[in-house]
Amino acid sequence: MKITLIGAGNVAWHLGQAFCQAGHQIAEVWSRSPSNAQELSKILPHSHINEDLYLADSEAELFVIAVKDDAIGSVVEQLILPENALLVHTSGTKSLAELEHWVEVYSDVPLQLGVFYPLQTFSKQAAINFDEVPICVEAANTHTEEILIALAQSVSEVAYLVNSQERRMLHLAAVFACNFTNHLWALTQDMLEEADLDFSLLKPLIKETTRKALRAEHPAEVQTGPARRHDHSTIDKHKALLRNEPENYQKIYKQLTDSILGYYDESESF
Amino acid sequence: MKITLIGAGNVAWHLGQAFCQAGHQIAEVWSRSPSNAQELSKILPHSHINEDLYLADSEAELFVIAVKDDAIGSVVEQLILPENALLVHTSGTKSLAELEHWVEVYSDVPLQLGVFYPLQTFSKQAAINFDEVPICVEAANTHTEEILIALAQSVSEVAYLVNSQERRMLHLAAVFACNFTNHLWALTQDMLEEADLDFSLLKPLIKETTRKALRAEHPAEVQTGPARRHDHSTIDKHKALLRNEPENYQKIYKQLTDSILGYYDESESF
């Protein structure tokens, strides 16, 4: 497929390379930041830079918007595409309906619309095995759906049809599973540094906990700790220790401990 | 060293094998559960089973209590050791002073006391690279400390002197870093299953998030998500979505989101 990348950030960076490796060709690269566009175009054979969003003469079969969620609307506002061009965004939070709305407001020609959302966290420095990145695909009609699923399968072993409501749910789940856990690790490192202890002491335990949770049928099966055991004596000692920490530590400890206590029946505790 | 294992659960299982692989010899194995003692003794060359805690004639130089925290007191109550024997427990939560107290109450002879705490989660089924397990050592005097540090260095590349207060702090930190994150993953899987979505969709993202957090100078540097961006519009949408979920989801979302919002200055948000 001939593909045009609109955006040259972390997502476009990895997606562009994955497309090329799968035998597709990147026609144009556009970015609000000319230096980003240049940097990305340099590593994508035969691609060239488009300085604006006038793409009516493009030979690309697919236009991929890979910009920050809040910038999608203003990109569509400036975008001029060939009639019936296939346009997708790569956002986890924006619905297909939002894209349809912007296109209705701003585009002079009818377009085929979809979503091509790679469910992974990307940064330019970190290499990614794209084979394993789940691609969540959605489209307004079956024909477009088939094109996007085939494209997803060409770059990844995990292609799913996921509608906007499901994608919103996945995004919320990712906040719990990734953003919140990362923040807990940040708080942990601060707490340990305050006590002159090295966070790296905990790293093997964190790795093994993650490994176990992801291998289990359900992470609930491998839950450990005082709340799992309904061990109120240890919980009370922890709460006393936390009196020296900022208030958010105490609140988070209470909330998550209460949630674990409520999750497991006391009679099953060990 | 000649070592006697008191307990044959997950910790003793891995510790016993690591001691043998490092060239130490397990003299006796005792467990409240005879079948556990038998199972462990079978894989530890030359070890034999002691049916009770009468060990006054033992040739072991070190006695390792590796039982559940709450059982340590009653084990010490029954334990009869040679005079000046070296006795350690392997608990993350029990202080050295608690062991000293039990020994003062129950032992007829003076003993050398310490703590030998491997900071890892163990289960019999899962192989562990013991080299990487941090061992936290504490003792009542320098001589014992040196013996235990040498022992720790014989089984692991990461041996630390950690006093009881620091060990308590490490244990609390592990609750945040491991127990709480595991519970978040359990809630995530429930939430996704409820929506007929597969938790395995999120696994590559969880793995990559963990990898990034543990490689960063500080996990706070690689924080992502709506709260990090002070993106209140997405946060409000998430809160609306969560109205259909159990109350603990809403409370946890609010607490952790507020904590992230407070952690990062709005002016630095991107």
Side-chain angles (χ1 to χ4, degrees), chain A residues 218-261:
Chain A
H218 196 298
E221 288 168 12
V222 294
Q223 183 69 48
T224 58
R228 170 66 184 94
R229 294 190 306 270
H230 284 257
D231 172 356
H232 290 281
S233 132
T234 300
I235 292 170
D236 289 344
K237 281 182 202 157
H238 283 168
K239 285 183 177 169
L241 257 178
L242 282 168
R243 269 182 224 124
N244 309 315
E245 303 291 335
E247 206 191 349
N248 59 328
Y249 285 80
Q250 301 173 32
K251 285 183 176 170
I252 290 170
Y253 187 91
K254 183 179 161 24
Q255 216 59 80
L256 281 159
T257 294
D258 286 352
S259 180
I260 299 172
L261 287 169

Side-chain angles (χ1 to χ4, degrees), chain A residues 8-269:
Chain A
N10 295 325
V11 173
W13 183 262
H14 287 277
L15 208 48
Q17 292 178 82
F19 284 148
C20 284
Q21 272 157 31
H24 304 291
Q25 198 213 312
I26 305 302
E28 293 100 1
V29 175
W30 172 89
S31 167
R32 201 179 46 168
S33 146
S35 68
N36 277 1
Q38 210 152 28
E39 203 190 349
L40 178 55
S41 176
K42 223 182 284 171
I43 61 163
L44 301 175
H46 314 299
S47 68
H48 64 267
I49 295 162
N50 225 62
E51 288 183 357
D52 54 34
L53 284 164
Y54 180 86
L55 289 158
D57 306 325
S58 171
E59 287 178 2
E61 298 149 85
L62 170 68
F63 298 83
V64 177
I65 303 179
V67 299
K68 287 194 201 312
D69 290 357
D70 293 339
I72 299 176
S74 87
V75 159
V76 177
E77 188 175 356
Q78 300 163 62
L79 200 54
I80 298 177
L81 292 182
E83 192 166 329
N84 283 319
L86 176 47
L87 174 69
V88 300
H89 74 59
T90 56
S91 161
T93 54
K94 296 292 169 186
S95 66
L96 181 57
E98 279 172 280
L99 184 61
E100 287 171 334
H101 167 75
W102 287 315
V103 166
E104 204 179 294
V105 173
Y106 298 122
S107 176
D108 294 330
V109 297
L111 300 171
Q112 304 302 315
L113 301 177
V115 178
F116 193 89
Y117 168 48
L119 183 42
Q120 184 52 284
T121 170
F122 298 104
S123 40
K124 285 186 187 172
Q125 310 81 27
I128 276 280
N129 183 2
F130 221 94
D131 274 7
E132 294 170 2
V133 176
I135 313 276
C136 301
V137 162
E138 182 179 13
N141 61 61
T142 322
H143 178 64
T144 308
E145 213 170 81
E146 280 165 7
I147 296 172
L148 294 177
I149 280 284
L151 178 67
Q153 285 170 340
S154 74
V155 293
S156 164
E157 286 166 13
V158 206
Y160 281 81
L161 274 181
V162 168
N163 67 34
S164 291
Q165 196 185 339
E166 290 168 333
R167 204 171 57 255
R168 205 156 39 216
M169 201 64 203
L170 271 175
H171 188 262
L172 174 59
V175 170
F176 276 80
C178 298
N179 300 159
F180 288 171
T181 53
N182 190 82
H183 182 58
L184 287 172
W185 293 324
L187 295 181
T188 304
Q189 180 157 344
D190 289 346
M191 186 184 348
L192 289 177
E193 279 176 1
E194 191 81 14
D196 268 331
L197 287 161
D198 192 343
F199 180 56
S200 62
L201 268 166
L202 278 187
K203 287 184 180 178
L205 183 61
I206 292 173
K207 279 185 206 163
E208 181 64 12
T209 303
T210 307
R211 212 183 57 83
K212 272 190 186 173
L214 298 187
R215 282 207 179 176
E217 281 282 305
H218 196 298
E221 288 168 12
V222 294
Q223 183 69 48
T224 58
R228 170 66 184 94
R229 294 190 306 270
H230 284 257
D231 172 356
H232 290 281
S233 132
T234 300
I235 292 170
D236 289 344
K237 281 182 202 157
H238 283 168
K239 285 183 177 169
L241 257 178
L242 282 168
R243 269 182 224 124
N244 309 315
E245 303 291 335
E247 206 191 349
N248 59 328
Y249 285 80
Q250 301 173 32
K251 285 183 176 170
I252 290 170
Y253 187 91
K254 183 179 161 24
Q255 216 59 80
L256 281 159
T257 294
D258 286 352
S259 180
I260 299 172
L261 287 169
Y263 198 97
Y264 298 92
D265 202 322
E266 187 162 2
S267 63
E268 288 170 44
S269 71

Side-chain angles (χ1 to χ4, degrees), chain B:
Chain B
M1 246 181 152
K2 274 200 167 178
I3 299 168
T4 288
L5 290 176
I6 300 162
N10 294 325
V11 174
W13 183 263
H14 287 277
L15 207 48
Q17 292 179 81
F19 283 148
C20 285
Q21 272 157 32
H24 305 291
Q25 197 214 312
I26 305 302
E28 293 100 1
V29 176
W30 172 88
S31 168
R32 201 179 47 170
S33 145
S35 67
N36 277 1
Q38 207 151 30
E39 203 190 350
L40 178 55
S41 176
K42 224 183 281 172
I43 60 163
L44 301 175
H46 314 299
S47 69
H48 65 265
I49 295 161
N50 226 61
E51 288 184 355
D52 54 36
L53 285 164
Y54 180 85
L55 289 159
D57 305 326
S58 171
E59 286 178 4
E61 298 148 85
L62 171 68
F63 298 83
V64 177
I65 302 179
V67 299
K68 285 192 202 318
D69 290 358
D70 293 339
I72 299 176
S74 85
V75 159
V76 177
E77 188 175 356
Q78 300 162 64
L79 198 56
I80 298 177
L81 292 182
E83 193 164 329
N84 284 317
L86 176 48
L87 175 69
V88 300
H89 73 58
T90 56
S91 161
T93 53
K94 296 293 167 184
S95 66
L96 181 57
E98 280 172 280
L99 184 60
E100 287 170 335
H101 167 74
W102 287 315
V103 165
E104 204 180 296
V105 173
Y106 296 124
S107 176
D108 294 331
V109 296
L111 300 172
Q112 304 302 315
L113 300 179
V115 178
F116 194 90
Y117 168 48
L119 184 43
Q120 185 50 284
T121 169
F122 298 103
S123 39
K124 286 186 187 173
Q125 311 79 29
I128 278 279
N129 182 2
F130 221 93
D131 274 7
E132 294 172 2
V133 176
I135 313 277
C136 301
V137 162
E138 183 180 12
N141 60 61
T142 322
H143 177 64
T144 308
E145 214 170 80
E146 280 165 5
I147 295 173
L148 294 178
I149 280 283
L151 178 67
Q153 285 171 340
S154 74
V155 294
S156 164
E157 285 165 14
V158 207
Y160 281 82
L161 275 181
V162 169
N163 67 33
S164 291
Q165 198 184 337
E166 289 167 336
R167 206 171 53 253
R168 205 156 38 216
M169 201 66 203
L170 270 175
H171 187 261
L172 174 59
V175 169
F176 276 80
C178 299
N179 300 159
F180 288 170
T181 53
N182 189 81
H183 183 57
L184 287 171
W185 293 326
L187 296 181
T188 305
Q189 179 156 343
D190 289 346
M191 187 185 344
L192 289 177
E193 279 176 0
E194 192 81 12
D196 268 331
L197 286 160
D198 193 342
F199 181 56
S200 62
L201 268 167
L202 278 187
K203 287 185 180 179
L205 183 60
I206 293 173
K207 278 184 206 163
E208 181 64 11
T209 303
T210 307
R211 211 183 57 83
K212 272 190 186 172
L214 298 187
R215 282 207 180 176
E217 280 281 304
H218 196 299
E221 289 169 12
V222 294
Q223 183 70 48
T224 59
R228 170 66 185 92
R229 296 190 304 271
H230 285 257
D231 172 355
H232 290 281
S233 133
T234 299
I235 291 171
D236 289 344
K237 281 182 202 155
H238 283 168
K239 285 183 177 168
L241 257 179
L242 281 168
R243 271 183 222 124
N244 308 315
E245 302 291 333
E247 207 191 349
N248 57 329
Y249 285 81
Q250 302 174 33
K251 285 183 175 171
I252 289 168
Y253 186 90
K254 184 179 162 20
Q255 214 60 76
L256 280 158
T257 295
D258 286 352
S259 180
I260 299 171
L261 287 169
Y263 199 98
Y264 298 91
D265 201 326
E266 188 161 1
S267 63
E268 288 169 44
S269 72
F270 52 84

